[in-house]
Amino acid sequence: MYQSLRAQRLLYRSHISYYVKAGLIDKAIHVFDEMTQSNCRLFSLDYNRFIGVLLRHSRFDLAQHYYYRHVIPGGFSLLPFTYSRFISALCSVKDFTLIHNLLQDMEALGFVPDIWAFNIYLNLLCRENQLETALQLFRTMPLKGRHPDVVTYTIIIDALCKSKRFDEAARFWRALIDKGLSPDYKACAALVVGLCGGGNVELAYELIVSVINRGVKVGSLVYNALISGFCRMGRIDKALAIKGFMSRNGCVPDLVTYNILLNYCCDEGMVDEAVRLVETMERSGVEPDLYSYNELLKGFCKAHQVDRAYLTMVKRMQTKGICDAVSYNTIIAAYCKELHTRRAYELFEEMYRKGIQPDVVTFTVLIEAFLREGSSNVAKKLVDQMTRMGLVPDRVFYTTIVDHLCKTGKIDMAHGVFHDMVENGINLDVISYNALINGFCKASRVMDAMRLYDEMQMKGFCPDEVTFKLIVGGLIREKKLSEACRVWDQMMEKGFTLESHLSETLVSAIQSTIK
C-alpha cells in the first residue's frame, strides 16, 4: 500500500512537472488539485515547489489561495526562500497587505527574508513614497539577523536624494563606508547624481573623491554629473580639473562630457574655447553629434558671429548629414534679433529646399520679426502657411500674437486670441497673462486688467514682478489709489519692490488726497 501511494505521488509530481515545462499551467493546477484530494500524502516540499511555479507565472491569487487554504491549515511550512520569492513577486503588483502578513508569518516562524527580497520590498516602498516605512524597515533588518548590503544602502540614498534629504543621504553614505562595504557603480551614481541634482555639488565631490582615491572605480555618469554640477555653479576650472582627473583614473571623457563643457562655453560666450573643445573631441576620437554642433551654433550667434554660424552649419554639419530645424531656428532667430529679417526669411526658404521641415518655433520667430517691423502681410502669409502644414500653435506663438496686437492697439482682438488659447487647451503661463494685462493697462482698461489679475491667481498662477508693476502703474494712472495700495501690499508680501518713480508717484498721489 505504501509503495503504491509513493509511486502514485511520484506520478503526480511527474505529470505536474511535465505540464509546467510545457507551459500548460492550468493543467498543472488541475493535476495538483487531484493530488491534494487523493490518498497521497503531500509534503511541504510539494507546496513550496507548486507555489513557486504559481509565483513564476504571476498566478498570485492562486498562490495566496493555496497558502491560506492548504499550507497554513495543513500544518505545512514554506521555506524562507519560498517566502522571499512570494514577497518579491507581490512587489510587482504592490500588494502591501499580503506582503505585511507574510512578513509577520515569517517572524512568527523565526524566518528572515533573503537580502534580495528585502531590497525589492524596500525599493517598492521608496518608489511609492513610503520612505519613512522604508527607513523603519532598514533599521529593523539587523535586529532580525539580515544586515543591509550595498544595494540596500543604494536604494535608501537614492530615495533620500529624490526627497531632497541630502544631509541624511550623506550620513547613509558614510555609514556604508564605515561598515566596510565597498560602493559599486550604482551606489556612486545614486549619491553623486542625486546630490548634484539638488545643487550639493561640493558635498558630492568630497564624498566620492575619498572612495575613488581608495581604488573604487566609477563610470562617466558620475564624473559627468560632477562636471555638469560645477558648470552650473560657474566653476569651469573645477569642471575641467575633474575632466583631467577622470582621464587619469582610466575613465575616458565621452560625448556627454564634451557636450556639457560645450554648453557652458557657448552659454558664456567663450566661442574660441568651444571651437577648441570640438577640435579636441575630434582628435580624441569622439565624434561631435547634432547637439554638439547646435551648441556651437548657439555660441556663435550669442557672440554676434551669425555668418560664422551659418558657414559652420553648411560646411561642417550639412556635409555630415546632421542638420535639423533647431540648427536653422538658432540662426534664423539670430538674424531676426540683428534685424536682418530678409536674410532670416531666405534661410526659411532654404530649409524647404533642403528638405528640413520648419516647426512652430521657426514660424513664431519669423512672425514676431515681421510684425515688429510692420510687415503684417508677410506675417499673415506665414500664419496661413503654418496652418496649411497642420502645425499646432503653442503658448509662445499665441503670446507673441497677443503681445503684438496689444502693442498695435488691437486689444479686443488680442483678448479674442487669448480666449482662443484657453479654448484650445494651451497651457498658459505668467508671460501670457502679462502680455494682455499690459495691453489693457496701456488702453486705460485697468479694471479689465484687474479681472485678469484675479483670474490668473484663481487658476494657480503667481503674479511676478512684471505683473505687479503693470497693475500698480495702471491703477495709479487711472487714479484708483486704494486698489493700487492693496496690490502694492500684495507685491511686498511676495518679496517684490516697486520702482522708485512708481512708489513716489503713489505716495504723492495719496498725500494730495489727504490734503
Side-chain angles (χ1 to χ4, degrees):
M1 179 67 178
Y2 172 75
Q3 290 296 329
S4 64
L5 288 175
R6 183 171 179 272
Q8 192 178 2
R9 181 168 56 249
L10 290 173
L11 188 62
Y12 276 123
R13 286 176 177 173
S14 176
H15 283 156
I16 291 167
S17 177
Y18 170 79
Y19 286 132
V20 168
K21 286 176 182 175
L24 302 170
I25 304 305
D26 288 332
K27 287 193 173 183
I29 293 167
H30 179 72
V31 174
F32 188 81
D33 283 338
E34 279 187 7
M35 185 179 176
T36 60
Q37 292 161 19
S38 71
N39 292 327
C40 290
R41 181 186 172 194
L42 272 72
F43 294 89
S44 292
L45 171 69
D46 295 298
Y47 282 105
N48 276 275
R49 284 177 177 171
F50 192 64
I51 286 176
V53 167
L54 295 173
L55 295 173
R56 194 164 64 248
H57 289 85
S58 303
R59 306 293 285 267
F60 303 128
D61 289 343
L62 276 176
Q64 183 177 356
H65 166 80
Y66 284 105
Y67 178 71
Y68 283 112
R69 298 293 179 86
H70 293 256
V71 175
I72 300 297
F76 298 104
S77 173
L78 295 186
L79 296 169
F81 177 74
T82 309
Y83 272 115
S84 295
R85 288 180 69 186
F86 210 157
I87 289 165
S88 61
L90 291 170
C91 287
S92 65
V93 291
K94 304 175 187 177
D95 192 339
F96 290 103
T97 303
L98 186 50
I99 292 170
H100 179 71
N101 291 341
L102 290 175
L103 286 170
Q104 285 188 323
D105 290 349
M106 288 188 78
E107 191 169 358
L109 292 166
F111 293 162
V112 182
D114 291 321
I115 189 63
W116 49 266
F118 257 126
N119 288 340
I120 290 170
Y121 181 42
L122 204 65
N123 190 45
L124 173 65
L125 290 170
C126 292
R127 284 202 327 267
E128 294 300 308
N129 299 315
Q130 297 188 38
L131 181 51
E132 292 307 322
T133 306
L135 290 170
Q136 181 60 32
L137 180 65
F138 180 92
R139 293 185 201 102
T140 59
M141 284 172 67
L143 303 176
K144 295 177 179 178
R146 191 68 69 202
H147 292 278
D149 62 5
V150 172
V151 176
T152 320
Y153 277 100
T154 302
I155 291 165
I156 293 295
I157 288 167
D158 181 62
L160 287 168
C161 286
K162 285 174 178 172
S163 298
K164 304 189 186 307
R165 294 163 65 170
F166 303 113
D167 290 340
E168 289 176 76
R171 281 200 297 275
F172 271 87
W173 176 265
R174 293 186 181 103
L176 180 156
I177 303 300
D178 292 344
K179 295 281 184 186
L181 296 171
S182 181
D184 60 8
Y185 170 78
K186 288 186 177 180
C188 294
L191 176 81
V192 174
V193 172
L195 290 179
C196 289
N200 294 274
V201 188
E202 293 282 6
L203 177 60
Y205 176 77
E206 173 202 327
L207 294 175
I208 203 66
V209 166
S210 65
V211 298
I212 292 173
N213 288 335
R214 291 184 212 166
V216 173
K217 296 292 181 185
V218 299
S220 58
L221 177 62
V222 169
Y223 288 114
N224 289 340
L226 288 169
I227 290 169
S228 178
F230 281 117
C231 282
R232 287 197 304 272
M233 292 171 65
R235 295 287 309 278
I236 187 65
D237 56 328
K238 201 76 178 271
L240 290 171
I242 291 168
K243 176 177 170 286
F245 182 68
M246 73 187 283
S247 299
R248 291 192 299 275
N249 279 276
C251 184
V252 179
D254 60 12
L255 181 62
V256 176
T257 316
Y258 284 106
N259 281 344
I260 291 167
L261 294 168
L262 258 178
N263 176 265
Y264 176 84
C265 290
C266 293
D267 279 345
E268 296 300 314
M270 299 162 61
V271 179
D272 294 335
E273 289 84 346
V275 171
R276 283 197 292 271
L277 206 55
V278 171
E279 291 168 352
T280 303
M281 290 173 74
E282 292 170 330
R283 282 197 306 272
S284 305
V286 179
E287 185 65 27
D289 66 356
L290 179 60
Y291 178 86
S292 315
Y293 280 115
N294 279 341
E295 283 298 303
L296 196 55
L297 297 184
K298 180 183 74 176
F300 287 140
C301 290
K302 287 189 82 169
H304 306 290
Q305 299 178 25
V306 191
D307 291 337
R308 190 179 178 188
Y310 178 72
L311 286 173
T312 300
M313 181 176 72
V314 172
K315 292 185 176 180
R316 300 190 69 174
M317 296 174 69
Q318 291 181 356
T319 53
K320 293 183 178 183
I322 51 169
C323 183
D324 66 355
V326 174
S327 316
Y328 271 98
N329 289 347
T330 301
I331 300 174
I332 287 170
Y335 276 127
C336 288
K337 193 173 182 180
E338 296 191 357
L339 305 181
H340 296 151
T341 316
R342 298 299 158 185
R343 177 67 181 129
Y345 191 80
E346 287 171 9
L347 259 67
F348 169 71
E349 293 178 318
E350 184 183 299
M351 289 177 75
Y352 268 110
R353 289 197 304 273
K354 295 192 174 178
I356 296 173
Q357 188 87 334
D359 58 16
V360 175
V361 175
T362 322
F363 281 102
T364 303
V365 168
L366 284 168
I367 289 165
E368 182 180 19
F370 280 112
L371 288 174
R372 188 171 57 237
E373 69 172 34
S375 302
S376 55
N377 56 331
V378 181
K380 187 179 184 311
K381 285 179 184 175
L382 286 166
V383 171
D384 293 340
Q385 187 175 348
M386 181 178 166
T387 305
R388 285 195 303 274
M389 288 175 63
L391 292 173
V392 179
D394 62 6
R395 181 181 64 236
V396 177
F397 178 87
Y398 273 113
T399 304
T400 299
I401 301 298
V402 169
D403 186 58
H404 169 74
L405 291 170
C406 287
K407 285 175 178 174
T408 53
K410 298 171 183 173
I411 309 302
D412 290 329
M413 196 179 292
H415 196 189
V417 172
F418 187 88
H419 185 261
D420 289 343
M421 288 175 73
V422 178
E423 288 294 305
N424 292 330
I426 302 295
N427 292 321
L428 304 176
D429 63 2
V430 177
I431 298 171
S432 310
Y433 277 100
N434 286 348
L436 189 53
I437 286 171
N438 185 37
F440 279 137
C441 289
K442 285 187 175 177
S444 301
R445 292 170 57 176
V446 74
M447 295 319 292
D448 285 329
M450 281 298 294
R451 276 190 285 276
L452 211 56
Y453 169 76
D454 291 334
E455 176 193 302
M456 69 185 286
Q457 292 179 88
M458 282 191 295
K459 290 186 175 178
F461 296 101
C462 293
D464 63 6
E465 193 169 9
V466 174
T467 320
F468 284 117
K469 287 177 180 178
L470 290 171
I471 292 287
V472 172
L475 289 167
I476 291 171
R477 282 193 298 275
E478 295 193 29
K479 302 204 171 13
K480 299 187 182 299
L481 303 181
S482 60
E483 277 293 298
C485 287
R486 182 175 70 82
V487 176
W488 189 14
D489 285 342
Q490 293 172 357
M491 183 179 182
M492 288 188 290
E493 284 173 10
K494 298 284 185 183
F496 299 119
T497 55
L498 205 56
E499 290 169 354
S500 57
H501 75 276
L502 275 177
S503 58
E504 287 167 9
T505 303
L506 182 55
V507 170
S508 298
I510 294 167
Q511 287 175 342
S512 66
T513 58
I514 294 170
K515 292 175 184 177

